[in-house]
Amino acid sequence: MLILGAETSCDETAVSLVESKGNNLSVLSNIVSSQTKIHSKWGGVVPNLAAREHLKNIVPVLGTAFRKAKKSPKDIDFIAVTQGPGLIPALLIGTNAAKALSYIWQKPLLGIHHIEGHIYANFIRESLKPKVQSSKFPILCLVVSGGHTQLVLMKKHLDYEIVGQTLDDATGEAFDKVARILDLGFPGGPNVAEAATKIKNQKSKIKIDLPRPMINSSNLNFSFSGLKTAVLYKTREFKKLPVAALANDFQQAVVDVLVSKTIKAAKKYNPKTIMLAGGVSANKELREQMKKAVKNNFPDSLFIIPGSKYCIDNATMIATAGYYRWKSMTATQKKKALNNWKTIQADANLKLK
Ligand code: KG4
Ligand code: ZN
């Protein structure tokens, strides 16, 4: 089976072709056209600019994805597109392109939740380390992206219970805002992480001591907006900004809270598999420290993280989630999906269900 995935929820125009053979998925092409340079001037993603770039890029990216995979439209079995959540002008380009192609090519169309896609990045075969064919349920997944911070419990495929979430800023949003405070540019996450590595070369260690918000609260929720403000107040204490020390302590505060809450959730729900998902899961410190904490606390649980290129927005994760959705559908539902181009609507606030 051949799946065409498309994703345009934010500032990446992405198209992938994913082939399934039995339960094995192979990525034939994973094309991502990033708009980072265009938005960096403004310090964040400008929705209408993003839409204009998606419109310019979607056809060339589609062409590259087919050429790289050495496939043609007649080979695909269905199309999976990000329906939401995200920026509505951006989402509209991907969903309308997918709807037009579904109609013209007479291929079924599935609308996928962006976060479902991030979670299913863990099921892309290349992501599975060690080489396990399937993860065991229940699964606990920490989703950390630019728009979301959630602890999601899955008792089976496509079944989600949000057991904890941020009360204010998402983790990626906090990274991006702190990057702005420290004048590190956009996108913030990778730049803060890079700045933090410089702390290792500094002889005199400056103590920063940022708070670890909600680390001791009895629930599984998060809060990052106060931490961002704490960084801002700290900057006022110095004449010459200790950027590396601030970036390092901010990153460590975030990692401490994320690890602590994930372990707390795991103690409560006893998952057989613990996963990370979303752009911030590309963060090296988070990956390493979470891995260590899972190994120490739950040596019998499996710990899975997507390959770094599948943590940030891409269409392979959308095609993969589409594959699991397709597998769960009846023959009648699959037939009906041929007409989904008439009904699927981009939804900026789509709920995970
Ligand atoms: O999942 P994603 O690509 O898009 C959304 O769905 O939001 O996540 C983007 C977020 C941005 O806030 C970006 O700064 C953050 O992920 N990010 C990182 C890293 N790479 C991307 N944050 C921390 N460390 C990283 N290495
Ligand atoms: Zn995302």
Side-chain angles (χ1 to χ4, degrees), residues 9-12 114-115 118 144-148 171-176 186-193 251 277-284 311-314 317:
S9 69
C10 194
D11 61 339
E12 261 93 31
H114 183 74
I115 297 303
H118 273 305
V144 272
S145 72
H148 290 77
T171 321
E173 190 183 351
F175 265 99
D176 294 340
F186 172 85
N191 293 353
V192 170
Q251 175 176 257
V280 183
S281 64
N283 185 277
K284 194 166 162 266
C311 291
I312 49 173
D313 289 349
N314 64 89
M317 67 186 200

PDB file of all heavy atoms in Angstrom, residues 9-12 114-115 118 144-148 171-176 186-193 251 277-284 311-314 317, ligand 1:
ATOM      1  N   SER A   9       0.564  22.745   8.506  1.00  0.00           N
ATOM      2  CA  SER A   9      -0.153  23.398   9.612  1.00  0.00           C
ATOM      3  C   SER A   9       0.550  24.645  10.144  1.00  0.00           C
ATOM      4  O   SER A   9      -0.054  25.492  10.760  1.00  0.00           O
ATOM      5  CB  SER A   9      -0.377  22.413  10.752  1.00  0.00           C
ATOM      6  OG  SER A   9       0.850  22.097  11.350  1.00  0.00           O
ATOM      7  N   CYS A  10       1.878  24.747   9.897  1.00  0.00           N
ATOM      8  CA  CYS A  10       2.616  25.899  10.430  1.00  0.00           C
ATOM      9  C   CYS A  10       3.532  26.476   9.347  1.00  0.00           C
ATOM     10  O   CYS A  10       3.029  27.025   8.372  1.00  0.00           O
ATOM     11  CB  CYS A  10       3.359  25.472  11.695  1.00  0.00           C
ATOM     12  SG  CYS A  10       3.961  26.868  12.646  1.00  0.00           S
ATOM     13  N   ASP A  11       4.826  26.327   9.488  1.00  0.00           N
ATOM     14  CA  ASP A  11       5.721  26.948   8.499  1.00  0.00           C
ATOM     15  C   ASP A  11       6.572  25.935   7.749  1.00  0.00           C
ATOM     16  O   ASP A  11       7.628  26.273   7.230  1.00  0.00           O
ATOM     17  CB  ASP A  11       6.595  28.024   9.163  1.00  0.00           C
ATOM     18  CG  ASP A  11       7.480  27.469  10.254  1.00  0.00           C
ATOM     19  OD1 ASP A  11       7.165  26.373  10.777  1.00  0.00           O
ATOM     20  OD2 ASP A  11       8.482  28.108  10.599  1.00  0.00           O
ATOM     21  N   GLU A  12       6.122  24.687   7.683  1.00  0.00           N
ATOM     22  CA  GLU A  12       6.813  23.693   6.872  1.00  0.00           C
ATOM     23  C   GLU A  12       5.859  23.150   5.814  1.00  0.00           C
ATOM     24  O   GLU A  12       4.768  22.703   6.171  1.00  0.00           O
ATOM     25  CB  GLU A  12       7.297  22.519   7.739  1.00  0.00           C
ATOM     26  CG  GLU A  12       8.751  22.592   8.120  1.00  0.00           C
ATOM     27  CD  GLU A  12       8.979  23.267   9.465  1.00  0.00           C
ATOM     28  OE1 GLU A  12       8.094  23.145  10.323  1.00  0.00           O
ATOM     29  OE2 GLU A  12      10.026  23.919   9.624  1.00  0.00           O
ATOM     30  N   HIS A 114      -2.904  16.851  13.805  1.00  0.00           N
ATOM     31  CA  HIS A 114      -1.460  17.100  13.783  1.00  0.00           C
ATOM     32  C   HIS A 114      -0.725  16.381  14.937  1.00  0.00           C
ATOM     33  O   HIS A 114       0.369  15.833  14.746  1.00  0.00           O
ATOM     34  CB  HIS A 114      -1.222  18.612  13.853  1.00  0.00           C
ATOM     35  CG  HIS A 114       0.207  19.008  13.776  1.00  0.00           C
ATOM     36  ND1 HIS A 114       0.934  18.967  12.611  1.00  0.00           N
ATOM     37  CD2 HIS A 114       1.067  19.446  14.736  1.00  0.00           C
ATOM     38  CE1 HIS A 114       2.176  19.366  12.861  1.00  0.00           C
ATOM     39  NE2 HIS A 114       2.277  19.669  14.138  1.00  0.00           N
ATOM     40  N   ILE A 115      -1.333  16.390  16.116  1.00  0.00           N
ATOM     41  CA  ILE A 115      -0.683  15.744  17.275  1.00  0.00           C
ATOM     42  C   ILE A 115      -0.717  14.219  17.144  1.00  0.00           C
ATOM     43  O   ILE A 115       0.230  13.531  17.550  1.00  0.00           O
ATOM     44  CB  ILE A 115      -1.323  16.225  18.593  1.00  0.00           C
ATOM     45  CG1 ILE A 115      -1.095  17.730  18.770  1.00  0.00           C
ATOM     46  CG2 ILE A 115      -0.786  15.451  19.807  1.00  0.00           C
ATOM     47  CD1 ILE A 115       0.361  18.183  18.750  1.00  0.00           C
ATOM     48  N   HIS A 118       2.272  13.592  15.216  1.00  0.00           N
ATOM     49  CA  HIS A 118       3.499  13.631  16.031  1.00  0.00           C
ATOM     50  C   HIS A 118       3.660  12.329  16.826  1.00  0.00           C
ATOM     51  O   HIS A 118       4.755  11.774  16.907  1.00  0.00           O
ATOM     52  CB  HIS A 118       3.469  14.817  16.994  1.00  0.00           C
ATOM     53  CG  HIS A 118       3.997  16.090  16.392  1.00  0.00           C
ATOM     54  ND1 HIS A 118       5.247  16.176  15.820  1.00  0.00           N
ATOM     55  CD2 HIS A 118       3.456  17.332  16.273  1.00  0.00           C
ATOM     56  CE1 HIS A 118       5.462  17.412  15.380  1.00  0.00           C
ATOM     57  NE2 HIS A 118       4.383  18.128  15.630  1.00  0.00           N
ATOM     58  N   VAL A 144       5.558  17.359  23.169  1.00  0.00           N
ATOM     59  CA  VAL A 144       6.103  18.705  23.433  1.00  0.00           C
ATOM     60  C   VAL A 144       6.403  19.398  22.111  1.00  0.00           C
ATOM     61  O   VAL A 144       7.375  19.073  21.439  1.00  0.00           O
ATOM     62  CB  VAL A 144       7.375  18.640  24.325  1.00  0.00           C
ATOM     63  CG1 VAL A 144       7.026  18.661  25.791  1.00  0.00           C
ATOM     64  CG2 VAL A 144       8.236  17.419  24.027  1.00  0.00           C
ATOM     65  N   SER A 145       5.541  20.339  21.741  1.00  0.00           N
ATOM     66  CA  SER A 145       5.748  21.026  20.461  1.00  0.00           C
ATOM     67  C   SER A 145       5.622  22.532  20.658  1.00  0.00           C
ATOM     68  O   SER A 145       5.583  23.018  21.793  1.00  0.00           O
ATOM     69  CB  SER A 145       4.722  20.527  19.440  1.00  0.00           C
ATOM     70  OG  SER A 145       3.445  21.027  19.768  1.00  0.00           O
ATOM     71  N   GLY A 146       5.512  23.263  19.552  1.00  0.00           N
ATOM     72  CA  GLY A 146       5.380  24.716  19.645  1.00  0.00           C
ATOM     73  C   GLY A 146       4.008  25.131  20.156  1.00  0.00           C
ATOM     74  O   GLY A 146       3.853  26.211  20.721  1.00  0.00           O
ATOM     75  N   GLY A 147       3.016  24.278  19.963  1.00  0.00           N
ATOM     76  CA  GLY A 147       1.656  24.632  20.366  1.00  0.00           C
ATOM     77  C   GLY A 147       1.086  23.748  21.463  1.00  0.00           C
ATOM     78  O   GLY A 147       0.021  24.055  22.014  1.00  0.00           O
ATOM     79  N   HIS A 148       1.752  22.627  21.778  1.00  0.00           N
ATOM     80  CA  HIS A 148       1.177  21.651  22.721  1.00  0.00           C
ATOM     81  C   HIS A 148       2.195  21.152  23.739  1.00  0.00           C
ATOM     82  O   HIS A 148       3.374  20.999  23.408  1.00  0.00           O
ATOM     83  CB  HIS A 148       0.642  20.430  21.963  1.00  0.00           C
ATOM     84  CG  HIS A 148      -0.581  20.729  21.151  1.00  0.00           C
ATOM     85  ND1 HIS A 148      -0.497  21.391  19.962  1.00  0.00           N
ATOM     86  CD2 HIS A 148      -1.892  20.484  21.381  1.00  0.00           C
ATOM     87  CE1 HIS A 148      -1.720  21.542  19.468  1.00  0.00           C
ATOM     88  NE2 HIS A 148      -2.584  21.007  20.308  1.00  0.00           N
ATOM     89  N   THR A 171       5.754  24.075  25.658  1.00  0.00           N
ATOM     90  CA  THR A 171       7.204  24.032  25.885  1.00  0.00           C
ATOM     91  C   THR A 171       7.975  24.734  24.766  1.00  0.00           C
ATOM     92  O   THR A 171       8.872  25.540  25.031  1.00  0.00           O
ATOM     93  CB  THR A 171       7.689  22.569  25.978  1.00  0.00           C
ATOM     94  OG1 THR A 171       6.724  21.818  26.698  1.00  0.00           O
ATOM     95  CG2 THR A 171       9.013  22.470  26.663  1.00  0.00           C
ATOM     96  N   GLY A 172       7.607  24.439  23.515  1.00  0.00           N
ATOM     97  CA  GLY A 172       8.313  25.042  22.378  1.00  0.00           C
ATOM     98  C   GLY A 172       8.141  26.550  22.357  1.00  0.00           C
ATOM     99  O   GLY A 172       9.075  27.294  22.054  1.00  0.00           O
ATOM    100  N   GLU A 173       6.938  26.984  22.719  1.00  0.00           N
ATOM    101  CA  GLU A 173       6.635  28.418  22.778  1.00  0.00           C
ATOM    102  C   GLU A 173       7.551  29.089  23.814  1.00  0.00           C
ATOM    103  O   GLU A 173       8.085  30.173  23.578  1.00  0.00           O
ATOM    104  CB  GLU A 173       5.169  28.538  23.202  1.00  0.00           C
ATOM    105  CG  GLU A 173       4.542  29.874  23.109  1.00  0.00           C
ATOM    106  CD  GLU A 173       3.092  29.833  23.637  1.00  0.00           C
ATOM    107  OE1 GLU A 173       2.544  28.730  23.908  1.00  0.00           O
ATOM    108  OE2 GLU A 173       2.518  30.917  23.812  1.00  0.00           O
ATOM    109  N   ALA A 174       7.743  28.434  24.966  1.00  0.00           N
ATOM    110  CA  ALA A 174       8.617  28.973  26.017  1.00  0.00           C
ATOM    111  C   ALA A 174      10.058  29.064  25.501  1.00  0.00           C
ATOM    112  O   ALA A 174      10.737  30.081  25.694  1.00  0.00           O
ATOM    113  CB  ALA A 174       8.543  28.106  27.270  1.00  0.00           C
ATOM    114  N   PHE A 175      10.523  28.019  24.801  1.00  0.00           N
ATOM    115  CA  PHE A 175      11.873  28.053  24.209  1.00  0.00           C
ATOM    116  C   PHE A 175      11.985  29.244  23.253  1.00  0.00           C
ATOM    117  O   PHE A 175      12.981  29.969  23.258  1.00  0.00           O
ATOM    118  CB  PHE A 175      12.162  26.749  23.441  1.00  0.00           C
ATOM    119  CG  PHE A 175      12.897  25.716  24.246  1.00  0.00           C
ATOM    120  CD1 PHE A 175      12.222  24.666  24.863  1.00  0.00           C
ATOM    121  CD2 PHE A 175      14.278  25.779  24.381  1.00  0.00           C
ATOM    122  CE1 PHE A 175      12.901  23.703  25.598  1.00  0.00           C
ATOM    123  CE2 PHE A 175      14.971  24.819  25.111  1.00  0.00           C
ATOM    124  CZ  PHE A 175      14.274  23.776  25.727  1.00  0.00           C
ATOM    125  N   ASP A 176      10.952  29.418  22.417  1.00  0.00           N
ATOM    126  CA  ASP A 176      11.006  30.483  21.408  1.00  0.00           C
ATOM    127  C   ASP A 176      11.015  31.866  22.057  1.00  0.00           C
ATOM    128  O   ASP A 176      11.720  32.773  21.618  1.00  0.00           O
ATOM    129  CB  ASP A 176       9.823  30.346  20.424  1.00  0.00           C
ATOM    130  CG  ASP A 176       9.927  29.077  19.585  1.00  0.00           C
ATOM    131  OD1 ASP A 176      11.044  28.529  19.485  1.00  0.00           O
ATOM    132  OD2 ASP A 176       8.905  28.632  19.033  1.00  0.00           O
ATOM    133  N   PHE A 186      15.303  33.089  15.749  1.00  0.00           N
ATOM    134  CA  PHE A 186      14.185  32.177  15.521  1.00  0.00           C
ATOM    135  C   PHE A 186      14.624  31.081  14.552  1.00  0.00           C
ATOM    136  O   PHE A 186      15.349  31.378  13.606  1.00  0.00           O
ATOM    137  CB  PHE A 186      13.018  32.990  14.917  1.00  0.00           C
ATOM    138  CG  PHE A 186      11.869  32.159  14.442  1.00  0.00           C
ATOM    139  CD1 PHE A 186      10.882  31.764  15.326  1.00  0.00           C
ATOM    140  CD2 PHE A 186      11.781  31.767  13.100  1.00  0.00           C
ATOM    141  CE1 PHE A 186       9.813  30.987  14.893  1.00  0.00           C
ATOM    142  CE2 PHE A 186      10.711  30.992  12.667  1.00  0.00           C
ATOM    143  CZ  PHE A 186       9.735  30.610  13.560  1.00  0.00           C
ATOM    144  N   PRO A 187      14.250  29.825  14.708  1.00  0.00           N
ATOM    145  CA  PRO A 187      13.414  29.296  15.770  1.00  0.00           C
ATOM    146  C   PRO A 187      14.196  29.110  17.055  1.00  0.00           C
ATOM    147  O   PRO A 187      15.370  28.729  17.033  1.00  0.00           O
ATOM    148  CB  PRO A 187      12.962  27.942  15.202  1.00  0.00           C
ATOM    149  CG  PRO A 187      14.073  27.528  14.302  1.00  0.00           C
ATOM    150  CD  PRO A 187      14.708  28.778  13.785  1.00  0.00           C
ATOM    151  N   GLY A 188      13.551  29.374  18.161  1.00  0.00           N
ATOM    152  CA  GLY A 188      14.241  29.471  19.435  1.00  0.00           C
ATOM    153  C   GLY A 188      14.816  28.174  19.973  1.00  0.00           C
ATOM    154  O   GLY A 188      15.932  28.170  20.500  1.00  0.00           O
ATOM    155  N   GLY A 189      14.047  27.100  19.865  1.00  0.00           N
ATOM    156  CA  GLY A 189      14.438  25.838  20.510  1.00  0.00           C
ATOM    157  C   GLY A 189      15.862  25.418  20.208  1.00  0.00           C
ATOM    158  O   GLY A 189      16.697  25.331  21.120  1.00  0.00           O
ATOM    159  N   PRO A 190      16.172  25.176  18.935  1.00  0.00           N
ATOM    160  CA  PRO A 190      17.527  24.722  18.610  1.00  0.00           C
ATOM    161  C   PRO A 190      18.584  25.749  19.001  1.00  0.00           C
ATOM    162  O   PRO A 190      19.694  25.378  19.396  1.00  0.00           O
ATOM    163  CB  PRO A 190      17.492  24.545  17.082  1.00  0.00           C
ATOM    164  CG  PRO A 190      16.049  24.505  16.711  1.00  0.00           C
ATOM    165  CD  PRO A 190      15.280  25.219  17.764  1.00  0.00           C
ATOM    166  N   ASN A 191      18.263  27.053  18.912  1.00  0.00           N
ATOM    167  CA  ASN A 191      19.249  28.100  19.240  1.00  0.00           C
ATOM    168  C   ASN A 191      19.537  28.148  20.739  1.00  0.00           C
ATOM    169  O   ASN A 191      20.681  28.330  21.152  1.00  0.00           O
ATOM    170  CB  ASN A 191      18.758  29.468  18.754  1.00  0.00           C
ATOM    171  CG  ASN A 191      18.703  29.541  17.236  1.00  0.00           C
ATOM    172  OD1 ASN A 191      19.156  28.626  16.557  1.00  0.00           O
ATOM    173  ND2 ASN A 191      18.150  30.611  16.704  1.00  0.00           N
ATOM    174  N   VAL A 192      18.498  27.982  21.564  1.00  0.00           N
ATOM    175  CA  VAL A 192      18.704  27.947  23.018  1.00  0.00           C
ATOM    176  C   VAL A 192      19.545  26.713  23.371  1.00  0.00           C
ATOM    177  O   VAL A 192      20.501  26.795  24.155  1.00  0.00           O
ATOM    178  CB  VAL A 192      17.351  27.920  23.782  1.00  0.00           C
ATOM    179  CG1 VAL A 192      17.548  27.638  25.270  1.00  0.00           C
ATOM    180  CG2 VAL A 192      16.604  29.255  23.598  1.00  0.00           C
ATOM    181  N   ALA A 193      19.206  25.583  22.754  1.00  0.00           N
ATOM    182  CA  ALA A 193      19.948  24.343  23.025  1.00  0.00           C
ATOM    183  C   ALA A 193      21.423  24.507  22.644  1.00  0.00           C
ATOM    184  O   ALA A 193      22.314  24.093  23.388  1.00  0.00           O
ATOM    185  CB  ALA A 193      19.310  23.182  22.261  1.00  0.00           C
ATOM    186  N   GLN A 251      16.895  25.563  29.958  1.00  0.00           N
ATOM    187  CA  GLN A 251      16.699  24.245  29.347  1.00  0.00           C
ATOM    188  C   GLN A 251      16.625  23.160  30.421  1.00  0.00           C
ATOM    189  O   GLN A 251      15.761  22.274  30.380  1.00  0.00           O
ATOM    190  CB  GLN A 251      17.849  23.955  28.383  1.00  0.00           C
ATOM    191  CG  GLN A 251      17.815  22.559  27.789  1.00  0.00           C
ATOM    192  CD  GLN A 251      18.919  22.363  26.758  1.00  0.00           C
ATOM    193  OE1 GLN A 251      18.674  22.393  25.573  1.00  0.00           O
ATOM    194  NE2 GLN A 251      20.135  22.169  27.221  1.00  0.00           N
ATOM    195  N   ALA A 277       7.281  12.948  21.701  1.00  0.00           N
ATOM    196  CA  ALA A 277       6.828  13.404  20.381  1.00  0.00           C
ATOM    197  C   ALA A 277       6.822  14.920  20.316  1.00  0.00           C
ATOM    198  O   ALA A 277       6.784  15.591  21.346  1.00  0.00           O
ATOM    199  CB  ALA A 277       5.429  12.862  20.103  1.00  0.00           C
ATOM    200  N   GLY A 278       6.873  15.462  19.088  1.00  0.00           N
ATOM    201  CA  GLY A 278       6.800  16.913  18.878  1.00  0.00           C
ATOM    202  C   GLY A 278       8.172  17.542  18.751  1.00  0.00           C
ATOM    203  O   GLY A 278       9.187  16.940  19.131  1.00  0.00           O
ATOM    204  N   GLY A 279       8.203  18.777  18.238  1.00  0.00           N
ATOM    205  CA  GLY A 279       9.464  19.461  17.930  1.00  0.00           C
ATOM    206  C   GLY A 279      10.470  19.479  19.060  1.00  0.00           C
ATOM    207  O   GLY A 279      11.669  19.270  18.836  1.00  0.00           O
ATOM    208  N   VAL A 280      10.018  19.713  20.302  1.00  0.00           N
ATOM    209  CA  VAL A 280      10.961  19.816  21.433  1.00  0.00           C
ATOM    210  C   VAL A 280      11.592  18.454  21.753  1.00  0.00           C
ATOM    211  O   VAL A 280      12.651  18.379  22.379  1.00  0.00           O
ATOM    212  CB  VAL A 280      10.274  20.438  22.674  1.00  0.00           C
ATOM    213  CG1 VAL A 280      11.253  20.626  23.819  1.00  0.00           C
ATOM    214  CG2 VAL A 280       9.628  21.777  22.329  1.00  0.00           C
ATOM    215  N   SER A 281      10.965  17.352  21.285  1.00  0.00           N
ATOM    216  CA  SER A 281      11.569  16.042  21.549  1.00  0.00           C
ATOM    217  C   SER A 281      12.838  15.842  20.712  1.00  0.00           C
ATOM    218  O   SER A 281      13.533  14.838  20.875  1.00  0.00           O
ATOM    219  CB  SER A 281      10.570  14.901  21.345  1.00  0.00           C
ATOM    220  OG  SER A 281      10.155  14.822  20.015  1.00  0.00           O
ATOM    221  N   ALA A 282      13.161  16.820  19.838  1.00  0.00           N
ATOM    222  CA  ALA A 282      14.455  16.788  19.147  1.00  0.00           C
ATOM    223  C   ALA A 282      15.564  17.252  20.090  1.00  0.00           C
ATOM    224  O   ALA A 282      16.750  17.092  19.795  1.00  0.00           O
ATOM    225  CB  ALA A 282      14.422  17.690  17.916  1.00  0.00           C
ATOM    226  N   ASN A 283      15.180  17.825  21.233  1.00  0.00           N
ATOM    227  CA  ASN A 283      16.167  18.368  22.179  1.00  0.00           C
ATOM    228  C   ASN A 283      17.025  17.249  22.788  1.00  0.00           C
ATOM    229  O   ASN A 283      16.503  16.322  23.424  1.00  0.00           O
ATOM    230  CB  ASN A 283      15.442  19.152  23.277  1.00  0.00           C
ATOM    231  CG  ASN A 283      16.405  19.834  24.219  1.00  0.00           C
ATOM    232  OD1 ASN A 283      16.914  19.225  25.146  1.00  0.00           O
ATOM    233  ND2 ASN A 283      16.672  21.104  23.977  1.00  0.00           N
ATOM    234  N   LYS A 284      18.346  17.381  22.611  1.00  0.00           N
ATOM    235  CA  LYS A 284      19.280  16.315  22.998  1.00  0.00           C
ATOM    236  C   LYS A 284      19.232  16.031  24.506  1.00  0.00           C
ATOM    237  O   LYS A 284      19.212  14.876  24.939  1.00  0.00           O
ATOM    238  CB  LYS A 284      20.686  16.761  22.575  1.00  0.00           C
ATOM    239  CG  LYS A 284      21.715  15.703  22.585  1.00  0.00           C
ATOM    240  CD  LYS A 284      22.965  16.154  21.823  1.00  0.00           C
ATOM    241  CE  LYS A 284      24.143  15.295  22.206  1.00  0.00           C
ATOM    242  NZ  LYS A 284      24.953  15.869  23.297  1.00  0.00           N
ATOM    243  N   CYS A 311      10.815  14.429  14.517  1.00  0.00           N
ATOM    244  CA  CYS A 311      10.256  15.132  15.686  1.00  0.00           C
ATOM    245  C   CYS A 311       9.621  16.434  15.229  1.00  0.00           C
ATOM    246  O   CYS A 311       8.531  16.787  15.642  1.00  0.00           O
ATOM    247  CB  CYS A 311      11.355  15.435  16.705  1.00  0.00           C
ATOM    248  SG  CYS A 311      11.989  13.975  17.517  1.00  0.00           S
ATOM    249  N   ILE A 312      10.352  17.167  14.387  1.00  0.00           N
ATOM    250  CA  ILE A 312       9.808  18.438  13.885  1.00  0.00           C
ATOM    251  C   ILE A 312       8.792  18.123  12.778  1.00  0.00           C
ATOM    252  O   ILE A 312       8.717  17.010  12.286  1.00  0.00           O
ATOM    253  CB  ILE A 312      10.927  19.390  13.382  1.00  0.00           C
ATOM    254  CG1 ILE A 312      11.860  18.621  12.454  1.00  0.00           C
ATOM    255  CG2 ILE A 312      11.696  19.980  14.540  1.00  0.00           C
ATOM    256  CD1 ILE A 312      12.871  19.488  11.789  1.00  0.00           C
ATOM    257  N   ASP A 313       7.999  19.139  12.398  1.00  0.00           N
ATOM    258  CA  ASP A 313       6.904  18.907  11.468  1.00  0.00           C
ATOM    259  C   ASP A 313       7.370  18.253  10.164  1.00  0.00           C
ATOM    260  O   ASP A 313       8.340  18.701   9.552  1.00  0.00           O
ATOM    261  CB  ASP A 313       6.188  20.227  11.167  1.00  0.00           C
ATOM    262  CG  ASP A 313       5.389  20.713  12.366  1.00  0.00           C
ATOM    263  OD1 ASP A 313       5.234  19.935  13.336  1.00  0.00           O
ATOM    264  OD2 ASP A 313       4.910  21.862  12.335  1.00  0.00           O
ATOM    265  N   ASN A 314       6.660  17.204   9.767  1.00  0.00           N
ATOM    266  CA  ASN A 314       6.962  16.486   8.533  1.00  0.00           C
ATOM    267  C   ASN A 314       5.687  15.769   8.084  1.00  0.00           C
ATOM    268  O   ASN A 314       4.711  15.710   8.843  1.00  0.00           O
ATOM    269  CB  ASN A 314       8.097  15.479   8.788  1.00  0.00           C
ATOM    270  CG  ASN A 314       7.689  14.392   9.776  1.00  0.00           C
ATOM    271  OD1 ASN A 314       7.156  13.362   9.384  1.00  0.00           O
ATOM    272  ND2 ASN A 314       7.893  14.625  11.074  1.00  0.00           N
ATOM    273  N   MET A 317       5.005  11.521   9.307  1.00  0.00           N
ATOM    274  CA  MET A 317       4.216  11.210  10.512  1.00  0.00           C
ATOM    275  C   MET A 317       2.710  11.255  10.200  1.00  0.00           C
ATOM    276  O   MET A 317       1.937  10.499  10.775  1.00  0.00           O
ATOM    277  CB  MET A 317       4.578  12.178  11.653  1.00  0.00           C
ATOM    278  CG  MET A 317       4.167  13.621  11.405  1.00  0.00           C
ATOM    279  SD  MET A 317       4.786  14.715  12.710  1.00  0.00           S
ATOM    280  CE  MET A 317       3.682  16.133  12.497  1.00  0.00           C
TER     281      MET A 317
HETATM  282  O1  KG4 B   1       6.353  20.120  16.399  1.00  0.00           O
HETATM  283  P1  KG4 B   1       6.912  21.356  15.847  1.00  0.00           P
HETATM  284  O2  KG4 B   1       7.870  21.265  14.701  1.00  0.00           O
HETATM  285  O3  KG4 B   1       5.756  22.328  15.414  1.00  0.00           O
HETATM  286  C1  KG4 B   1       4.576  22.434  16.166  1.00  0.00           C
HETATM  287  O4  KG4 B   1       3.711  21.540  16.014  1.00  0.00           O
HETATM  288  O5  KG4 B   1       4.502  23.393  16.949  1.00  0.00           O
HETATM  289  O6  KG4 B   1       7.605  22.102  17.074  1.00  0.00           O
HETATM  290  C2  KG4 B   1       8.224  23.322  16.908  1.00  0.00           C
HETATM  291  C3  KG4 B   1       8.807  23.748  18.239  1.00  0.00           C
HETATM  292  C4  KG4 B   1       9.383  25.147  18.201  1.00  0.00           C
HETATM  293  O7  KG4 B   1       8.914  25.874  19.304  1.00  0.00           O
HETATM  294  C5  KG4 B   1      10.886  24.900  18.288  1.00  0.00           C
HETATM  295  O8  KG4 B   1      11.592  25.954  18.904  1.00  0.00           O
HETATM  296  C6  KG4 B   1      10.937  23.626  19.111  1.00  0.00           C
HETATM  297  O9  KG4 B   1       9.859  22.857  18.630  1.00  0.00           O
HETATM  298  N1  KG4 B   1      12.201  22.886  18.932  1.00  0.00           N
HETATM  299  C7  KG4 B   1      13.096  22.669  19.931  1.00  0.00           C
HETATM  300  C8  KG4 B   1      14.191  21.973  19.337  1.00  0.00           C
HETATM  301  N2  KG4 B   1      13.914  21.804  18.011  1.00  0.00           N
HETATM  302  C9  KG4 B   1      12.695  22.358  17.781  1.00  0.00           C
HETATM  303  N3  KG4 B   1      13.086  22.994  21.235  1.00  0.00           N
HETATM  304  C10 KG4 B   1      14.136  22.645  21.989  1.00  0.00           C
HETATM  305  N4  KG4 B   1      15.219  22.009  21.501  1.00  0.00           N
HETATM  306  C11 KG4 B   1      15.297  21.646  20.192  1.00  0.00           C
HETATM  307  N5  KG4 B   1      16.381  20.996  19.730  1.00  0.00           N
END
